[in-house]
mmCIF file of all heavy atoms in Angstrom:
data_model
loop_
_atom_site.group_PDB
_atom_site.id
_atom_site.type_symbol
_atom_site.label_atom_id
_atom_site.label_comp_id
_atom_site.label_asym_id
_atom_site.label_seq_id
_atom_site.Cartn_x
_atom_site.Cartn_y
_atom_site.Cartn_z
ATOM 1 N N LEU H 93 -6.838 5.156 6.126
ATOM 2 C CA LEU H 93 -8.040 4.767 6.854
ATOM 3 C C LEU H 93 -8.197 3.252 6.737
ATOM 4 O O LEU H 93 -8.411 2.716 5.659
ATOM 5 C CB LEU H 93 -9.268 5.478 6.279
ATOM 6 C CG LEU H 93 -10.595 5.225 7.000
ATOM 7 C CD1 LEU H 93 -10.528 5.684 8.458
ATOM 8 C CD2 LEU H 93 -11.733 5.923 6.274
ATOM 9 N N LYS H 94 -8.102 2.570 7.871
ATOM 10 C CA LYS H 94 -8.091 1.109 7.859
ATOM 11 C C LYS H 94 -9.487 0.508 7.775
ATOM 12 O O LYS H 94 -9.689 -0.561 7.199
ATOM 13 C CB LYS H 94 -7.381 0.598 9.118
ATOM 14 C CG LYS H 94 -5.883 0.849 9.117
ATOM 15 C CD LYS H 94 -5.194 0.098 7.989
ATOM 16 C CE LYS H 94 -3.683 0.243 8.049
ATOM 17 N NZ LYS H 94 -3.008 -0.558 6.985
ATOM 18 N N SER H 95 -10.469 1.162 8.361
ATOM 19 C CA SER H 95 -11.822 0.604 8.378
ATOM 20 C C SER H 95 -12.647 1.138 7.213
ATOM 21 O O SER H 95 -12.532 2.303 6.837
ATOM 22 C CB SER H 95 -12.519 0.945 9.697
ATOM 23 O OG SER H 95 -13.858 0.505 9.687
ATOM 24 N N GLU H 97 -15.935 1.097 7.377
ATOM 25 C CA GLU H 97 -17.161 1.605 7.987
ATOM 26 C C GLU H 97 -16.887 2.901 8.738
ATOM 27 O O GLU H 97 -15.836 3.078 9.342
ATOM 28 C CB GLU H 97 -17.735 0.571 8.951
ATOM 29 C CG GLU H 97 -18.183 -0.710 8.266
ATOM 30 C CD GLU H 97 -18.851 -1.672 9.236
ATOM 31 O OE1 GLU H 97 -19.062 -1.267 10.398
ATOM 32 O OE2 GLU H 97 -19.152 -2.803 8.825
ATOM 33 N N TRP H 100 -18.438 7.598 12.940
ATOM 34 C CA TRP H 100 -18.006 8.817 13.599
ATOM 35 C C TRP H 100 -19.211 9.704 13.935
ATOM 36 O O TRP H 100 -20.241 9.660 13.275
ATOM 37 C CB TRP H 100 -17.057 9.613 12.702
ATOM 38 C CG TRP H 100 -15.967 8.813 12.082
ATOM 39 C CD1 TRP H 100 -15.415 7.646 12.557
ATOM 40 C CD2 TRP H 100 -15.287 9.091 10.860
ATOM 41 N NE1 TRP H 100 -14.437 7.200 11.705
ATOM 42 C CE2 TRP H 100 -14.322 8.064 10.657
ATOM 43 C CE3 TRP H 100 -15.375 10.107 9.927
ATOM 44 C CZ2 TRP H 100 -13.481 8.039 9.556
ATOM 45 C CZ3 TRP H 100 -14.537 10.094 8.830
ATOM 46 C CH2 TRP H 100 -13.602 9.069 8.652
ATOM 47 N N MET H 101 -19.020 10.554 14.915
ATOM 48 C CA MET H 101 -20.022 11.577 15.214
ATOM 49 C C MET H 101 -19.790 12.750 14.269
ATOM 50 O O MET H 101 -18.700 13.334 14.236
ATOM 51 C CB MET H 101 -19.897 12.034 16.668
ATOM 52 C CG MET H 101 -20.251 10.958 17.690
ATOM 53 S SD MET H 101 -20.211 11.574 19.403
ATOM 54 C CE MET H 101 -21.592 12.729 19.354
ATOM 55 N N ALA H 185 -14.523 19.205 10.659
ATOM 56 C CA ALA H 185 -13.433 18.453 10.040
ATOM 57 C C ALA H 185 -13.809 16.982 9.886
ATOM 58 O O ALA H 185 -13.630 16.384 8.805
ATOM 59 C CB ALA H 185 -12.157 18.598 10.869
ATOM 60 N N THR H 186 -14.326 16.399 10.950
ATOM 61 C CA THR H 186 -14.748 14.996 10.896
ATOM 62 C C THR H 186 -15.822 14.782 9.839
ATOM 63 O O THR H 186 -15.805 13.800 9.085
ATOM 64 C CB THR H 186 -15.282 14.554 12.269
ATOM 65 O OG1 THR H 186 -14.283 14.785 13.259
ATOM 66 C CG2 THR H 186 -15.644 13.078 12.256
ATOM 67 N N ILE H 189 -14.302 14.809 6.287
ATOM 68 C CA ILE H 189 -13.612 13.560 5.969
ATOM 69 C C ILE H 189 -14.629 12.456 5.671
ATOM 70 O O ILE H 189 -14.469 11.673 4.734
ATOM 71 C CB ILE H 189 -12.673 13.154 7.113
ATOM 72 C CG1 ILE H 189 -11.588 14.209 7.319
ATOM 73 C CG2 ILE H 189 -12.017 11.802 6.819
ATOM 74 C CD1 ILE H 189 -10.731 13.991 8.546
ATOM 75 N N GLU H 213 -3.585 13.106 16.048
ATOM 76 C CA GLU H 213 -4.266 12.340 17.091
ATOM 77 C C GLU H 213 -5.753 12.200 16.776
ATOM 78 O O GLU H 213 -6.352 11.154 17.044
ATOM 79 C CB GLU H 213 -4.074 13.026 18.446
ATOM 80 C CG GLU H 213 -2.615 13.187 18.846
ATOM 81 C CD GLU H 213 -1.849 11.884 18.782
ATOM 82 O OE1 GLU H 213 -2.377 10.845 19.227
ATOM 83 O OE2 GLU H 213 -0.704 11.891 18.264
ATOM 84 N N MET H 214 -6.349 13.246 16.185
ATOM 85 C CA MET H 214 -7.743 13.155 15.778
ATOM 86 C C MET H 214 -7.918 12.080 14.701
ATOM 87 O O MET H 214 -8.863 11.280 14.743
ATOM 88 C CB MET H 214 -8.240 14.498 15.241
ATOM 89 C CG MET H 214 -9.698 14.469 14.777
ATOM 90 S SD MET H 214 -10.213 15.953 13.884
ATOM 91 C CE MET H 214 -9.419 15.707 12.287
ATOM 92 N N TYR H 215 -6.994 12.054 13.735
ATOM 93 C CA TYR H 215 -7.076 11.062 12.661
ATOM 94 C C TYR H 215 -6.948 9.642 13.218
ATOM 95 O O TYR H 215 -7.609 8.715 12.751
ATOM 96 C CB TYR H 215 -5.997 11.325 11.619
ATOM 97 C CG TYR H 215 -6.088 12.686 10.958
ATOM 98 C CD1 TYR H 215 -4.938 13.405 10.645
ATOM 99 C CD2 TYR H 215 -7.313 13.266 10.666
ATOM 100 C CE1 TYR H 215 -5.006 14.660 10.049
ATOM 101 C CE2 TYR H 215 -7.399 14.517 10.066
ATOM 102 C CZ TYR H 215 -6.237 15.206 9.767
ATOM 103 O OH TYR H 215 -6.314 16.450 9.180
ATOM 104 N N LYS H 216 -6.092 9.466 14.226
ATOM 105 C CA LYS H 216 -5.948 8.145 14.843
ATOM 106 C C LYS H 216 -7.272 7.677 15.434
ATOM 107 O O LYS H 216 -7.651 6.515 15.291
ATOM 108 C CB LYS H 216 -4.886 8.191 15.941
ATOM 109 C CG LYS H 216 -3.444 8.133 15.453
ATOM 110 C CD LYS H 216 -2.488 8.075 16.633
ATOM 111 C CE LYS H 216 -1.054 7.953 16.182
ATOM 112 N NZ LYS H 216 -0.108 7.893 17.341
ATOM 113 N N LYS H 217 -7.975 8.582 16.096
ATOM 114 C CA LYS H 217 -9.251 8.233 16.720
ATOM 115 C C LYS H 217 -10.293 7.846 15.672
ATOM 116 O O LYS H 217 -11.222 7.086 15.959
ATOM 117 C CB LYS H 217 -9.757 9.394 17.564
ATOM 118 C CG LYS H 217 -8.904 9.673 18.801
ATOM 119 C CD LYS H 217 -9.433 10.864 19.574
ATOM 120 C CE LYS H 217 -8.571 11.145 20.799
ATOM 121 N NZ LYS H 217 -9.060 12.332 21.563
ATOM 122 N N LEU H 218 -10.133 8.382 14.449
ATOM 123 C CA LEU H 218 -11.075 8.063 13.373
ATOM 124 C C LEU H 218 -10.739 6.736 12.692
ATOM 125 O O LEU H 218 -11.521 6.257 11.869
ATOM 126 C CB LEU H 218 -11.085 9.185 12.333
ATOM 127 C CG LEU H 218 -11.568 10.553 12.810
ATOM 128 C CD1 LEU H 218 -11.505 11.564 11.671
ATOM 129 C CD2 LEU H 218 -12.977 10.487 13.379
ATOM 130 N N GLY H 219 -9.565 6.183 13.016
ATOM 131 C CA GLY H 219 -9.196 4.903 12.425
ATOM 132 C C GLY H 219 -8.096 4.979 11.386
ATOM 133 O O GLY H 219 -7.835 3.995 10.678
ATOM 134 N N PHE H 220 -7.429 6.133 11.278
ATOM 135 C CA PHE H 220 -6.296 6.250 10.363
ATOM 136 C C PHE H 220 -5.024 5.728 11.041
ATOM 137 O O PHE H 220 -4.802 5.988 12.230
ATOM 138 C CB PHE H 220 -6.082 7.714 9.954
ATOM 139 C CG PHE H 220 -7.089 8.243 8.977
ATOM 140 C CD1 PHE H 220 -8.289 8.796 9.420
ATOM 141 C CD2 PHE H 220 -6.845 8.195 7.613
ATOM 142 C CE1 PHE H 220 -9.223 9.297 8.522
ATOM 143 C CE2 PHE H 220 -7.768 8.691 6.703
ATOM 144 C CZ PHE H 220 -8.963 9.245 7.161
#
Side-chain angles (χ1 to χ4, degrees):
L93 183 60
K94 290 297 185 177
S95 175
E97 295 185 7
W100 312 334
M101 293 184 67
T186 304
I189 298 172
E213 301 307 317
M214 179 190 75
Y215 300 142
K216 280 184 177 180
K217 292 178 181 179
L218 297 179
F220 286 87

